[in-house]
Amino acid sequence: MCCAGFASYWGLALGLTWFTSYLVAGLGYTQKVGGNLSILPWIFGFVVVLSGGYISQRLKSKGVSSRVSRGVLACSTVVLGGLTLPFVGQMPSPELKIAVLVFGAAIGSTIYVVLPMIVSELTPQSQRAGMLAITTSIVTLAGVIAPLAMGAFIQHAATPLAGYERGYVILGALLIAGGVIGLLFIRPEADRKRLAARAVPALPLSPARA
């Protein structure tokens, strides 16, 4: 879950820091138009989060396993986004570049909804808050690294547009890798049985002595 979430958050961080700059410096839009268009990833991501969470819960309520209703569903969208992003640079018009970029970077946002659900499935209630904090800190670490990496790509590229599109290819590779790892290893039911088999029963408390 951390690998898939980290890759998806990488795209979110780039949307926060570099998307408007890409529209202006890379695609040639004015600052005003670029600012107006910068809302597109958030509108699409909002729709994805709501619909993805709803679909996941519906599948779960119908008896579908957590592996499928949460892991496979979310990680498949992460991989789909990764497969889409390398084509940003091949689009013949700025409008198509924006459409492909917005779709590829935001389609995997369902991962943010199912991550706490899976952590809750595998973690005792007393440790749940700590595990959620740990996983969130790992996922959001991408928010520190991604803007720096994109800046380096732009700085060392022949043109700003080439640097941006190279950065989005790297994002696509990260999404594919993180999504595939999630598809292979997110198995809540099997992991819960394995953890239960290894659990050590708590020792009974002894009364305090004076």
Side-chain angles (χ1 to χ4, degrees):
M1 287 301 299
C2 287
C3 290
F6 180 92
S8 187
Y9 202 86
W10 187 289
L12 177 63
L14 293 184
L16 285 169
T17 55
W18 286 104
F19 183 66
T20 303
S21 179
Y22 170 67
L23 297 177
V24 175
L27 299 183
Y29 287 97
T30 65
Q31 188 68 45
K32 180 179 180 180
V33 174
N36 292 335
L37 292 175
S38 64
I39 197 175
L40 292 177
W42 313 115
I43 294 175
F44 184 64
F46 175 76
V47 173
V48 169
V49 167
L50 290 182
S51 59
Y54 174 77
I55 293 171
S56 176
Q57 286 297 92
R58 287 285 294 175
L59 291 174
K60 185 64 177 174
S61 66
K62 291 181 179 296
V64 179
S65 67
S66 291
R67 172 171 171 77
V68 174
S69 64
R70 292 171 179 171
V72 173
L73 172 66
C75 292
S76 295
T77 61
V78 173
V79 173
L80 176 60
L83 293 173
T84 303
L85 285 170
F87 295 99
V88 171
Q90 301 178 25
M91 293 295 104
S93 68
E95 292 78 14
L96 287 176
K97 288 179 183 288
I98 294 172
V100 172
L101 176 57
V102 169
F103 178 86
I107 191 64
S109 298
T110 303
I111 198 75
Y112 307 133
V113 181
V114 302
L115 189 149
M117 296 179 184
I118 293 179
V119 171
S120 298
E121 281 193 58
L122 300 177
T123 311
Q125 187 173 1
S126 60
Q127 299 174 335
R128 197 165 294 163
M131 285 304 301
L132 286 171
I134 291 171
T135 54
T136 301
S137 66
I138 294 173
V139 168
T140 55
L141 182 62
V144 178
I145 303 173
L148 296 175
M150 179 63 90
F153 295 141
I154 297 169
Q155 183 177 3
H156 295 95
T159 64
L161 181 60
Y164 284 112
E165 292 179 349
R166 182 180 302 170
Y168 291 130
V169 170
I170 298 299
L171 170 59
L174 287 171
L175 289 170
I176 293 171
V180 169
I181 290 172
L183 287 172
L184 292 176
F185 295 106
I186 295 176
R187 299 169 295 183
E189 288 85 3
D191 288 339
R192 190 164 59 247
K193 291 179 180 179
R194 177 174 54 84
L195 292 172
R198 296 181 180 181
V200 177
L203 295 175
L205 296 177
S206 300
R209 296 182 179 179

